[in-house]
Amino acid sequence: MNLQVPGPVSELVVARLSLPDARVRTGERSGAAADAVILRVPPLPHRTDLPGVLDEGEHARMAQLRRGDDRDRYLLAHTALRLVLGHRLGVRADVLRFARAPCPGCGGPHGRPVLAGASGPEFSLAHGGGLVAVALGDLPVGVDVEPNPSAAVVRRVADHLHPREREMVLSAPEGVRAEVFARLWSRKEAYLKGTGIGLGRGTDTTDATADPPGWAIADLAIAGHAAALASERRRGNR
């Protein structure tokens, strides 16, 4: 899989992240099981080249955001997702409709987002700091991007990590502790988003220091940020 980004946002791509399919074919790996692109978020209020593809619900949610930079991130993130999905499916981005898969915990209609009434790729969306991440996959996929936090945030949140994660963060040299924290948190959130459970599962019960059973996670370090892409493995993969 090669995630193609349409023209209106292609110039904003700063990095790509892939997870190979672990199936072995005649001793060689097959193509990517999941791909993600990382986009920078420029000031958007005066941009006129982003197409108007969001639906009424998305516009309403964007309007509820108080900060202008949060609205900018939301606009770019959801526009980019629609453009990428529309390009992949060969349809107009503004005709796409979204729904929620059943929650794997309770069965309620609040699991991971999916395309409504259409077969298509699995997808995930994230934004943090000055970046947006869009991911597509053949199987459930999750992506996350996190800015490196302050030392105060690391100290405050460390107690909510899994014990192995907490040990890894607190034992890291002070100069790289924020980067270690951001990497582990992005891995955790990408995986939990991919499962559809999200952070409500409890951040201290999920160990993201290694690949969770049945899943693979890839890391990407970007200046001032960490990003992670998680994909469910195909049945029978190691």
Side-chain angles (χ1 to χ4, degrees):
M1 179 184 294
N2 182 15
L3 200 164
Q4 298 294 322
V5 181
V9 293
S10 60
E11 78 279 6
L12 302 177
V13 175
V14 297
R16 296 179 182 270
L17 183 57
S18 294
L19 269 171
D21 187 332
R23 289 179 302 174
V24 177
R25 296 176 177 172
T26 63
E28 297 181 356
R29 291 185 181 276
S30 61
D35 279 303
V37 290
I38 314 296
L39 312 170
R40 63 183 175 86
V41 183
L44 297 178
H46 302 295
R47 291 178 62 98
T48 59
D49 54 345
L50 284 182
V53 297
L54 304 190
D55 63 24
E56 291 183 3
E58 289 166 321
H59 278 293
R61 287 189 289 274
M62 183 171 66
Q64 291 175 352
L65 300 173
R66 295 183 179 182
R67 292 167 51 90
D69 54 353
D70 289 337
R71 292 192 294 273
D72 289 349
R73 275 192 295 270
Y74 186 98
L75 175 61
L76 174 60
H78 289 263
T79 298
L81 175 64
R82 282 179 169 273
L83 291 174
V84 167
L85 284 170
H87 184 269
R88 174 61 58 85
L89 295 169
V91 301
R92 289 192 353 238
D94 62 339
V95 304
L96 297 172
R97 296 295 179 264
F98 300 99
R100 289 279 181 172
C103 172
C106 69
H110 48 258
R112 66 182 186 279
V114 295
L115 286 168
S119 60
E122 300 281 354
F123 62 88
S124 185
L125 180 65
H127 41 87
L131 299 177
V132 162
V134 177
L136 298 187
D138 296 327
L139 295 172
V141 63
V143 70
D144 190 52
V145 59
E146 297 286 340
N148 293 338
S150 66
V153 169
V154 173
R155 288 193 299 269
R156 184 169 68 249
V157 182
D159 287 342
H160 300 286
L161 297 175
H162 185 277
R164 278 192 288 273
E165 295 173 333
R166 185 162 57 248
E167 179 181 2
M168 184 176 290
V169 169
L170 297 181
S171 64
E174 187 172 350
V176 298
R177 196 169 294 165
E179 289 89 340
V180 172
F181 176 92
R183 181 177 67 85
L184 288 171
W185 192 268
S186 66
R187 288 173 61 86
K188 181 193 300 286
E189 188 154 352
Y191 164 66
L192 291 176
K193 287 170 66 176
T195 64
I197 293 176
L199 294 178
R201 177 176 178 172
T203 57
D204 60 348
T205 61
T206 301
D207 178 14
T209 59
D211 287 352
W215 286 74
I217 306 177
D219 303 312
L220 178 64
I222 310 170
H225 293 74
L229 173 64
S231 177
E232 188 176 32
R233 293 185 186 275
R234 295 184 188 276
R235 195 171 290 181
N237 286 3
R238 296 180 179 179

